[in-house]
mmCIF file of all heavy atoms in Angstrom:
data_model
loop_
_atom_site.group_PDB
_atom_site.id
_atom_site.type_symbol
_atom_site.label_atom_id
_atom_site.label_comp_id
_atom_site.label_asym_id
_atom_site.label_seq_id
_atom_site.Cartn_x
_atom_site.Cartn_y
_atom_site.Cartn_z
ATOM 1 N N GLU U 281 27.634 25.192 -24.539
ATOM 2 C CA GLU U 281 28.726 25.549 -25.441
ATOM 3 C C GLU U 281 29.969 25.838 -24.635
ATOM 4 O O GLU U 281 29.952 26.668 -23.713
ATOM 5 C CB GLU U 281 28.342 26.779 -26.251
ATOM 6 C CG GLU U 281 29.374 27.122 -27.299
ATOM 7 C CD GLU U 281 28.938 28.312 -28.138
ATOM 8 O OE1 GLU U 281 27.814 28.787 -27.933
ATOM 9 O OE2 GLU U 281 29.737 28.752 -28.969
ATOM 10 N N PRO U 282 31.088 25.153 -24.923
ATOM 11 C CA PRO U 282 32.286 25.350 -24.102
ATOM 12 C C PRO U 282 32.864 26.745 -24.292
ATOM 13 O O PRO U 282 32.884 27.291 -25.384
ATOM 14 C CB PRO U 282 33.246 24.265 -24.631
ATOM 15 C CG PRO U 282 32.769 23.984 -26.027
ATOM 16 C CD PRO U 282 31.289 24.175 -26.003
ATOM 17 N N THR U 283 33.298 27.282 -23.196
ATOM 18 C CA THR U 283 33.910 28.609 -23.246
ATOM 19 C C THR U 283 35.326 28.477 -23.803
ATOM 20 O O THR U 283 36.046 27.512 -23.505
ATOM 21 C CB THR U 283 33.967 29.215 -21.840
ATOM 22 O OG1 THR U 283 34.645 28.296 -20.971
ATOM 23 C CG2 THR U 283 32.551 29.434 -21.308
ATOM 24 N N PRO U 284 35.735 29.397 -24.631
ATOM 25 C CA PRO U 284 37.080 29.294 -25.218
ATOM 26 C C PRO U 284 38.158 29.384 -24.149
ATOM 27 O O PRO U 284 38.073 30.178 -23.217
ATOM 28 C CB PRO U 284 37.130 30.504 -26.163
ATOM 29 C CG PRO U 284 36.097 31.437 -25.649
ATOM 30 C CD PRO U 284 35.020 30.596 -25.061
ATOM 31 N N GLU U 285 39.171 28.511 -24.302
ATOM 32 C CA GLU U 285 40.268 28.515 -23.344
ATOM 33 C C GLU U 285 41.178 29.710 -23.612
ATOM 34 O O GLU U 285 41.390 30.109 -24.761
ATOM 35 C CB GLU U 285 41.073 27.218 -23.486
ATOM 36 C CG GLU U 285 40.244 25.967 -23.143
ATOM 37 C CD GLU U 285 41.084 24.728 -23.262
ATOM 38 O OE1 GLU U 285 42.270 24.867 -23.639
ATOM 39 O OE2 GLU U 285 40.575 23.636 -22.981
ATOM 40 N N PRO U 286 41.709 30.282 -22.541
ATOM 41 C CA PRO U 286 42.611 31.420 -22.740
ATOM 42 C C PRO U 286 43.879 30.999 -23.469
ATOM 43 O O PRO U 286 44.375 29.880 -23.311
ATOM 44 C CB PRO U 286 42.903 31.869 -21.307
ATOM 45 C CG PRO U 286 42.615 30.678 -20.453
ATOM 46 C CD PRO U 286 41.511 29.943 -21.123
ATOM 47 N N ALA U 287 44.381 31.869 -24.313
ATOM 48 C CA ALA U 287 45.596 31.567 -25.078
ATOM 49 C C ALA U 287 46.784 31.416 -24.139
ATOM 50 O O ALA U 287 46.885 32.139 -23.146
ATOM 51 C CB ALA U 287 45.868 32.692 -26.077
ATOM 52 N N PRO U 288 47.632 30.440 -24.422
ATOM 53 C CA PRO U 288 48.791 30.253 -23.534
ATOM 54 C C PRO U 288 49.707 31.475 -23.557
ATOM 55 O O PRO U 288 49.917 32.114 -24.578
ATOM 56 C CB PRO U 288 49.486 29.026 -24.139
ATOM 57 C CG PRO U 288 49.019 28.964 -25.549
ATOM 58 C CD PRO U 288 47.645 29.508 -25.553
ATOM 59 N N LYS U 289 50.183 31.747 -22.378
ATOM 60 C CA LYS U 289 51.078 32.900 -22.260
ATOM 61 C C LYS U 289 52.446 32.576 -22.845
ATOM 62 O O LYS U 289 52.987 31.500 -22.635
ATOM 63 C CB LYS U 289 51.246 33.295 -20.798
ATOM 64 C CG LYS U 289 49.951 33.803 -20.182
ATOM 65 C CD LYS U 289 50.200 34.239 -18.747
ATOM 66 C CE LYS U 289 48.914 34.785 -18.130
ATOM 67 N NZ LYS U 289 49.127 35.218 -16.737
ATOM 68 N N VAL U 290 52.956 33.500 -23.615
ATOM 69 C CA VAL U 290 54.291 33.334 -24.211
ATOM 70 C C VAL U 290 55.318 33.992 -23.302
ATOM 71 O O VAL U 290 55.186 35.175 -22.957
ATOM 72 C CB VAL U 290 54.340 33.972 -25.619
ATOM 73 C CG1 VAL U 290 55.717 33.794 -26.229
ATOM 74 C CG2 VAL U 290 53.273 33.325 -26.498
ATOM 75 N N GLU U 291 56.263 33.183 -22.887
ATOM 76 C CA GLU U 291 57.288 33.737 -22.008
ATOM 77 C C GLU U 291 58.167 34.724 -22.786
ATOM 78 O O GLU U 291 58.674 34.412 -23.856
ATOM 79 C CB GLU U 291 58.153 32.604 -21.453
ATOM 80 C CG GLU U 291 57.359 31.636 -20.562
ATOM 81 C CD GLU U 291 58.280 30.587 -19.974
ATOM 82 O OE1 GLU U 291 59.490 30.649 -20.277
ATOM 83 O OE2 GLU U 291 57.790 29.730 -19.226
ATOM 84 N N GLU U 292 58.296 35.857 -22.226
ATOM 85 C CA GLU U 292 59.104 36.885 -22.873
ATOM 86 C C GLU U 292 60.582 36.697 -22.504
ATOM 87 O O GLU U 292 60.922 36.459 -21.343
ATOM 88 C CB GLU U 292 58.654 38.274 -22.411
ATOM 89 C CG GLU U 292 57.230 38.591 -22.825
ATOM 90 C CD GLU U 292 56.849 39.985 -22.380
ATOM 91 O OE1 GLU U 292 57.688 40.630 -21.725
ATOM 92 O OE2 GLU U 292 55.714 40.404 -22.684
ATOM 93 N N LYS U 293 61.389 36.743 -23.541
ATOM 94 C CA LYS U 293 62.832 36.605 -23.297
ATOM 95 C C LYS U 293 63.365 37.899 -22.703
ATOM 96 O O LYS U 293 62.925 38.989 -23.091
ATOM 97 C CB LYS U 293 63.569 36.303 -24.607
ATOM 98 C CG LYS U 293 63.151 34.967 -25.207
ATOM 99 C CD LYS U 293 63.910 34.722 -26.490
ATOM 100 C CE LYS U 293 63.508 33.372 -27.092
ATOM 101 N NZ LYS U 293 64.253 33.100 -28.339
ATOM 102 N N PRO U 294 64.288 37.760 -21.766
ATOM 103 C CA PRO U 294 64.844 38.982 -21.168
ATOM 104 C C PRO U 294 65.613 39.802 -22.208
ATOM 105 O O PRO U 294 66.339 39.269 -23.046
ATOM 106 C CB PRO U 294 65.781 38.449 -20.080
ATOM 107 C CG PRO U 294 66.065 37.039 -20.474
ATOM 108 C CD PRO U 294 64.863 36.542 -21.203
ATOM 109 N N LYS U 295 65.384 41.065 -22.180
ATOM 110 C CA LYS U 295 66.059 41.947 -23.129
ATOM 111 C C LYS U 295 67.532 42.100 -22.757
ATOM 112 O O LYS U 295 67.883 42.250 -21.587
ATOM 113 C CB LYS U 295 65.405 43.321 -23.129
ATOM 114 C CG LYS U 295 63.978 43.284 -23.658
ATOM 115 C CD LYS U 295 63.399 44.688 -23.676
ATOM 116 C CE LYS U 295 61.990 44.659 -24.223
ATOM 117 N NZ LYS U 295 61.402 46.021 -24.266
ATOM 118 N N VAL U 296 68.349 42.027 -23.792
ATOM 119 C CA VAL U 296 69.813 42.198 -23.581
ATOM 120 C C VAL U 296 70.144 43.684 -23.676
ATOM 121 O O VAL U 296 69.926 44.314 -24.711
ATOM 122 C CB VAL U 296 70.623 41.403 -24.630
ATOM 123 C CG1 VAL U 296 72.112 41.606 -24.416
ATOM 124 C CG2 VAL U 296 70.238 39.931 -24.547
ATOM 125 N N VAL U 297 70.577 44.188 -22.575
ATOM 126 C CA VAL U 297 70.929 45.618 -22.547
ATOM 127 C C VAL U 297 72.415 45.764 -22.886
ATOM 128 O O VAL U 297 73.286 45.215 -22.190
ATOM 129 C CB VAL U 297 70.653 46.235 -21.169
ATOM 130 C CG1 VAL U 297 71.025 47.700 -21.153
ATOM 131 C CG2 VAL U 297 69.191 46.021 -20.801
ATOM 132 N N ARG U 298 72.729 46.462 -23.952
ATOM 133 C CA ARG U 298 74.118 46.676 -24.363
ATOM 134 C C ARG U 298 74.603 47.993 -23.787
ATOM 135 O O ARG U 298 74.021 49.053 -24.027
ATOM 136 C CB ARG U 298 74.211 46.706 -25.891
ATOM 137 C CG ARG U 298 73.750 45.397 -26.526
ATOM 138 C CD ARG U 298 73.865 45.472 -28.025
ATOM 139 N NE ARG U 298 75.273 45.652 -28.420
ATOM 140 C CZ ARG U 298 75.688 45.836 -29.667
ATOM 141 N NH1 ARG U 298 74.784 45.891 -30.638
ATOM 142 N NH2 ARG U 298 76.966 45.989 -29.944
ATOM 143 N N ASN U 299 75.626 47.849 -22.996
ATOM 144 C CA ASN U 299 76.215 49.045 -22.387
ATOM 145 C C ASN U 299 77.047 49.808 -23.421
ATOM 146 O O ASN U 299 77.975 49.278 -24.013
ATOM 147 C CB ASN U 299 77.106 48.654 -21.203
ATOM 148 C CG ASN U 299 76.281 48.001 -20.087
ATOM 149 O OD1 ASN U 299 75.138 48.374 -19.896
ATOM 150 N ND2 ASN U 299 76.898 47.049 -19.391
ATOM 151 N N GLN U 300 76.646 51.028 -23.656
ATOM 152 C CA GLN U 300 77.395 51.861 -24.595
ATOM 153 C C GLN U 300 78.690 52.363 -23.920
ATOM 154 O O GLN U 300 78.659 52.774 -22.751
ATOM 155 C CB GLN U 300 76.546 53.066 -25.028
ATOM 156 C CG GLN U 300 75.287 52.656 -25.784
ATOM 157 C CD GLN U 300 75.624 52.051 -27.127
ATOM 158 O OE1 GLN U 300 76.682 52.349 -27.707
ATOM 159 N NE2 GLN U 300 74.725 51.196 -27.613
ATOM 160 N N PRO U 301 79.787 52.264 -24.646
ATOM 161 C CA PRO U 301 81.075 52.748 -24.034
ATOM 162 C C PRO U 301 81.027 54.265 -23.804
ATOM 163 O O PRO U 301 80.527 55.013 -24.630
ATOM 164 C CB PRO U 301 82.123 52.383 -25.088
ATOM 165 C CG PRO U 301 81.348 52.259 -26.356
ATOM 166 C CD PRO U 301 79.986 51.791 -26.005
ATOM 167 N N THR U 302 81.510 54.615 -22.641
ATOM 168 C CA THR U 302 81.558 56.056 -22.297
ATOM 169 C C THR U 302 82.878 56.646 -22.799
ATOM 170 O O THR U 302 83.929 55.987 -22.774
ATOM 171 C CB THR U 302 81.443 56.242 -20.786
ATOM 172 O OG1 THR U 302 82.486 55.493 -20.141
ATOM 173 C CG2 THR U 302 80.090 55.725 -20.277
ATOM 174 N N ARG U 303 82.767 57.844 -23.227
ATOM 175 C CA ARG U 303 83.979 58.511 -23.766
ATOM 176 C C ARG U 303 84.812 59.073 -22.624
ATOM 177 O O ARG U 303 84.319 59.800 -21.772
ATOM 178 C CB ARG U 303 83.575 59.638 -24.708
ATOM 179 C CG ARG U 303 84.758 60.232 -25.420
ATOM 180 C CD ARG U 303 84.267 61.133 -26.492
ATOM 181 N NE ARG U 303 85.396 61.673 -27.233
ATOM 182 C CZ ARG U 303 85.276 62.402 -28.321
ATOM 183 N NH1 ARG U 303 84.068 62.654 -28.816
ATOM 184 N NH2 ARG U 303 86.348 62.858 -28.946
ATOM 185 N N LYS U 304 86.142 58.665 -22.621
ATOM 186 C CA LYS U 304 87.054 59.136 -21.570
ATOM 187 C C LYS U 304 87.575 60.528 -21.900
ATOM 188 O O LYS U 304 87.657 60.918 -23.046
ATOM 189 C CB LYS U 304 88.239 58.172 -21.446
ATOM 190 C CG LYS U 304 87.817 56.771 -21.013
ATOM 191 C CD LYS U 304 89.043 55.877 -20.897
ATOM 192 C CE LYS U 304 88.662 54.477 -20.447
ATOM 193 N NZ LYS U 304 89.858 53.600 -20.330
#
Side-chain angles (χ1 to χ4, degrees):
E281 186 177 356
T283 55
E285 297 181 358
K289 294 183 179 180
V290 180
E291 296 183 0
E292 296 182 357
K293 296 180 179 181
K295 294 182 179 181
V296 179
V297 180
R298 299 180 63 184
N299 296 326
Q300 297 292 334
T302 56
R303 187 170 182 173
K304 297 181 179 180

